[in-house]
Amino acid sequence: MHASEGYRRLNHSNARPAFPRLAAAGLLSAPLAMLGPPAMARAPEPESATSQAAGQPEGAPQWTVFIGTIILGRSGGVNQTLVERVPGTEPFYSTFTGAGVEAFNSNQFQQGVSAGPKIDLTYRGDSGYGAELSYFNIFNQSATNVTGPDTPADWLVMKAPGVFWQTQDFPYQAMVWRDVTNLYSAEANGRLALSSRVTVLAGFRWLQLNDNLQGTLSPTDRTAPVWKQSCGASNCTLNEVAQAPLGVAAGPYPPFWNTSTTNNLYGIQIGADGTIFQHGRFSVEGQIKLGLFDNNAQQSTGVSLEKVVYPASAAANHPAFVSEAGLQLKYQVGDGLAVQAGYEALWLVGVAVAPGQIQETLTTGSRAPVHALGVNAGSDVIFHGFTAGLSYPF
């Protein structure tokens, strides 16, 4: 027997069947698989088509809140003469019948800017549908114009329909007009993501625009203007008023004209927003909205006749149109936290502003001397300015 044959036989005699070992391994693998993770992770399932359309991975934050401030200025309004100049050499009563030179028009108000809060809350569903709530307001956006006193002295005259006309009581006085505006906006929209960059929206919106116009004389009268009775038929010029005997001390007088308007706009709107540019943490986003509204417009006016105020008011419903456009710059500074800054413009068509109600207020010589003829809701107003704040998804 050869050595090689002995080796093969010895090796063959020590060999054991492979099947029992494989079976034992199979029996042990089952309970081990139940106690621990599988040896190879299962491949992830692909995202649904609607989730991909929304451009958001499943499990991403579905809520985003923005808290910031909005700073807006106002332009537009109505063309209404508020102050005319008549030479002081003219008799007092001729200031009512004669035509003066326009010194100030309501469209010359230089409305400043004012700030207020802006809050947005947006929800995004996995299906691409979502919703948003938005609110902002601005307070006490004011403008003031002071006309006079002039040298040489001029009559400063304001006229309104009927028998109303107002001049300064004394040559040392100026005629002061002040306009104050407040704006509120709240909206609720449904949203649908068409792609990872474009979302359309539709919903309901309420806006309230308040405007107040006051006309006063400054400084206040030092004495009562008794010259208006003492001049009588002699019909004083302004130079003669300066030489008239002083009357008794005068208390504070009310504004000679005070008009307030309130516009409550209720309507539906459509719009879209999207990402215009994106690079790393930086992005540029834009938005546009258009809507049709019913404007419940009200005006109330107080007219001072011989230092006594007589009120009048009116209300009416008018159709209105609102459009809004904005551009936002966004930078991610942390885990979801982003800084935003941008520009917004809001255009209101078909609203009532205070100067526009002067031609809707009639003064007569009757026992109820002041009448509101209606509401002028034909004005256009534009608000535009900047927003800034922080947004955070959760």
Side-chain angles (χ1 to χ4, degrees):
M1 181 177 63
H2 296 287
S4 61
E5 290 181 2
Y7 176 79
R8 286 198 298 271
R9 287 175 184 170
L10 179 61
N11 190 49
H12 176 75
S13 65
N14 292 333
R16 295 181 181 178
F19 175 77
R21 292 199 302 269
L22 294 174
L27 292 173
L28 289 173
S29 65
L32 288 174
M34 298 176 62
L35 294 174
M40 180 177 294
R42 185 175 58 184
E45 296 180 1
E47 295 180 355
S48 64
T50 53
S51 177
Q52 291 175 354
Q56 296 285 350
E58 293 186 6
Q62 293 186 314
W63 294 90
T64 301
V65 62
F66 170 84
I67 299 177
T69 186
I70 185 168
I71 305 172
L72 297 178
R74 174 190 152 182
S75 60
V78 67
N79 182 5
Q80 172 64 48
T81 299
L82 295 179
V83 185
E84 295 180 358
R85 278 191 172 95
V86 175
T89 55
E90 293 291 323
F92 171 64
Y93 291 116
S94 68
T95 62
F96 173 68
T97 58
V101 177
E102 183 178 87
F104 179 67
N105 192 293
S106 62
N107 61 22
Q108 295 175 285
F109 272 125
Q110 297 296 319
Q111 290 278 3
V113 298
S114 59
K118 180 175 173 61
I119 303 172
D120 299 333
L121 181 64
T122 304
Y123 170 77
R124 177 200 57 80
D126 291 335
S127 62
Y129 289 94
E132 69 176 1
L133 299 173
S134 299
Y135 174 83
F136 75 83
N137 66 260
I138 57 171
F139 294 117
N140 298 328
Q141 186 175 85
S142 63
T144 302
N145 175 267
V146 179
T147 304
D150 298 338
T151 304
D154 290 321
W155 292 105
L156 305 174
V157 185
M158 182 265 181
K159 297 178 183 178
V163 298
F164 179 86
W165 97 102
Q166 175 74 42
T167 68
Q168 73 270 54
D169 290 337
F170 295 97
Y172 58 78
Q173 290 177 314
M175 185 169 285
V176 180
W177 287 97
R178 186 169 188 261
D179 188 275
V180 180
T181 301
N182 296 312
L183 176 66
Y184 305 83
S185 173
E187 59 187 289
N189 299 304
R191 298 170 59 86
L192 174 62
L194 300 181
S195 70
S196 62
R197 303 179 75 92
V198 178
T199 299
V200 294
L201 60 88
F204 174 81
R205 188 170 191 173
W206 164 79
L207 297 108
Q208 185 180 91
L209 174 66
N210 302 323
D211 196 34
N212 174 257
L213 176 72
Q214 283 191 5
T216 58
L217 300 177
S218 180
T220 58
D221 291 19
R222 299 167 188 164
T223 59
V226 295
W227 62 265
K228 293 183 178 180
Q229 289 79 35
S230 62
C231 278
S234 64
N235 202 2
C236 297
T237 66
L238 191 57
N239 294 330
E240 292 170 335
V241 170
Q243 301 169 9
L246 297 179
V248 296
Y253 292 132
F256 62 82
W257 193 276
N258 190 349
T259 294
S260 293
T261 59
T262 299
N263 300 266
N264 280 297
L265 288 78
Y266 305 91
I268 56 175
Q269 63 180 3
I270 59 173
D273 59 40
T275 302
I276 300 172
F277 173 80
Q278 185 169 10
H279 180 72
R281 294 172 175 252
F282 177 76
S283 63
V284 180
E285 300 175 357
Q287 184 178 75
I288 187 170
K289 300 174 187 176
L290 304 170
L292 294 175
F293 291 76
D294 176 55
N295 180 14
N296 177 248
Q298 305 174 35
Q299 71 110 331
S300 60
T301 299
V303 178
S304 176
L305 302 174
E306 297 181 349
K307 311 305 181 184
V308 177
V309 175
Y310 296 87
S313 61
N317 284 72
H318 294 268
F321 171 79
V322 177
S323 64
E324 182 178 5
L327 195 65
Q328 295 289 325
L329 308 180
K330 181 185 292 187
Y331 183 77
Q332 301 283 345
V333 296
D335 185 14
L337 183 67
V339 177
Q340 291 184 213
Y343 174 84
E344 288 197 15
L346 179 68
W347 183 26
L348 309 179
V349 179
V351 293
V353 294
Q357 312 315 309
I358 292 176
Q359 295 302 317
E360 297 293 330
T361 304
L362 177 65
T363 304
T364 66
S366 64
R367 297 182 63 180
V370 180
H371 307 271
L373 303 178
V375 181
N376 177 1
S379 299
D380 301 351
V381 177
I382 297 176
F383 293 91
H384 56 96
F386 301 95
T387 63
L390 299 174
S391 65
Y392 183 75
F394 59 96

